Amino acid sequence: MTPSPPDPRHWLARLDEIRRSGDRRASLALAHLLVGGRLRDDDTLDDVADVLCALEDPRTHDLLLRALLDRSGAPEVRRAALRVLGSLPVDDPPPATVHEWVDARDGFVRAYGASFLEPVDGERLAVLVRDRDVLVRRAAVESLVASARTPALVDAVRAALRDPDPIVREIACRAALFDEPVAATYDLLHLLDDDDADVRAGVYDVLEDYPGVSVVLALADARSGPEGPLAEAALDLLVRRVAAALEEAPAEARARLERWAAPIQWLLAEPALVGAGDGDGRDGPGGWGGGPDPGLGADLDDDEDDGDMPLGWGQDDGGDGAD
């Protein structure tokens, strides 16, 4: 006779152990417990969802999807199901199904659909980034991370950087990192004073790849603030890139780059910022292996005048200062 499976509460008492061991024998029992409506304590519900996210067991997908699509289900259960579904290594559903979900009136369903959108769905993403439901906005912005950009999607990232939800803003910082849409520079600088610490940390991670004079000066000023070490690290990378580019630029480009860098010349003279390599593999002039960053100054050897120089490399960042 086959023994009956343990009561799900047996697994509930072992959550920490299951998380550490990755024991997927508990996956289905925990998924049934999560969607069954018996976990009235929000903290316990979150703990179970956390473990299921860590287990990444695709066998739980169908059960969780049914719970998500059930509009009569408890919102806290559907929210937890949405979070776990986002962690599962499963194949994308057919595009027609994704579009059906994205067009649904239900916010949980729209959010799940948004998580499968690609840059080719730019028009839908641009709308969903401004959705009334915060879960939809979070999922839509996450779909923009590491994706290609169109002008409409650059505008969508900028809108997300101004979102009232700090999680949306933090995700938008990661989205702004890719393809360096310098139109977002002033939106990012505004977030240096954000009320949320995670957002501020995310901004520093991004700004080290935004080589504009206004960025360098803002980071220099932020060194005396509460995130001084983060500002110092980002500033160090930017100044090293500028110093390396100045050293290695062709003669005809060097003068133009020097004019661009004039407002930050005092920073280039700080030994702590542009000294020799420190053992981290950046062992050449400016700390970048002896040559300029491949992007910095790459377009400075053409015949354009300063006003038409590519944004971020030969002039300040532009932008309209909107926030």
Side-chain angles (χ1 to χ4, degrees):
M1 180 177 178
T2 303
S4 59
D7 188 289
R9 287 171 294 186
H10 164 81
W11 301 114
L12 192 59
R14 298 176 53 216
L15 285 180
D16 289 340
E17 176 189 342
I18 294 167
R19 189 200 307 267
R20 288 193 302 270
S21 67
D23 186 357
R24 284 185 169 182
R25 291 177 297 174
S27 297
L28 289 174
L30 289 176
H32 277 285
L33 194 60
L34 185 143
V35 305
R38 287 183 287 172
L39 298 177
R40 299 301 180 186
D41 181 87
D42 287 345
D43 290 338
T44 304
L45 188 69
D46 287 341
D47 289 342
V48 171
D50 287 344
V51 173
L52 286 170
C53 287
L55 293 176
E56 297 182 340
D57 191 339
R59 296 176 300 170
T60 63
H61 173 269
D62 291 351
L63 177 63
L64 294 169
L65 182 59
R66 286 197 297 272
L68 175 75
L69 297 178
D70 181 6
R71 296 187 62 181
S72 67
E76 61 271 17
V77 170
R78 301 181 71 203
R79 184 177 295 106
L82 175 65
R83 183 153 67 91
V84 179
L85 283 166
S87 72
L88 299 182
V90 296
D91 293 335
D92 288 358
T97 301
V98 172
H99 293 162
E100 178 183 344
W101 290 341
V102 166
D103 293 336
R105 297 182 60 185
D106 182 86
F108 291 112
V109 178
R110 284 202 311 281
Y112 190 53
S115 68
F116 292 104
L117 291 177
E118 302 286 346
V120 69
D121 301 297
E123 185 175 333
R124 290 176 183 269
L125 280 170
V127 171
L128 293 173
V129 162
R130 299 167 173 84
D131 195 272
R132 64 183 180 277
D133 192 303
V134 66
L135 295 177
V136 178
R137 299 200 303 275
R138 291 175 185 176
V141 178
E142 191 72 57
S143 292
L144 293 175
V145 175
S147 68
R149 293 286 185 272
T150 64
L153 292 185
V154 170
D155 288 344
V157 171
R158 295 189 66 191
L161 289 168
R162 307 180 194 122
D163 195 277
D165 178 63
I167 295 178
V168 172
R169 297 197 300 274
E170 188 275 327
I171 299 171
C173 288
R174 289 190 278 117
L177 177 61
F178 294 89
D179 290 343
E180 297 182 15
V182 286
T185 299
Y186 284 100
D187 300 295
L188 289 164
L189 291 177
H190 179 74
L191 294 182
L192 288 174
D193 296 320
D194 197 90
D195 293 335
D196 188 272
D198 289 337
V199 175
R200 295 195 302 272
V203 173
Y204 285 109
D205 286 342
V206 175
L207 288 180
E208 65 188 33
D209 284 316
Y210 274 66
V213 167
S214 62
V215 174
V216 174
L217 293 175
L219 291 175
D221 185 61
R223 289 183 295 179
S224 60
E227 275 86 20
L230 293 176
E232 187 80 31
L235 179 65
D236 177 72
L237 287 175
L238 276 183
V239 171
R240 286 170 183 256
R241 291 174 72 181
V242 174
L246 282 167
E247 182 165 338
E248 299 296 322
E252 63 273 19
R254 182 182 177 91
R256 300 168 68 190
L257 188 55
E258 285 176 340
R259 290 198 301 273
W260 171 81
I264 57 173
Q265 187 62 44
W266 60 280
L267 283 166
L268 298 177
E270 288 193 18
L273 290 175
V274 296
D278 52 10
D280 63 356
R282 299 166 181 166
D283 52 3
W288 280 83
D293 176 77
L296 187 60
D299 296 313
L300 294 179
D301 56 357
D302 55 27
D303 294 325
E304 297 171 345
D305 60 37
D306 291 348
D308 294 328
M309 207 169 290
L311 289 176
W313 304 125
Q315 61 183 35
D316 205 353
D317 338 82
D320 56 11
D323 55 14

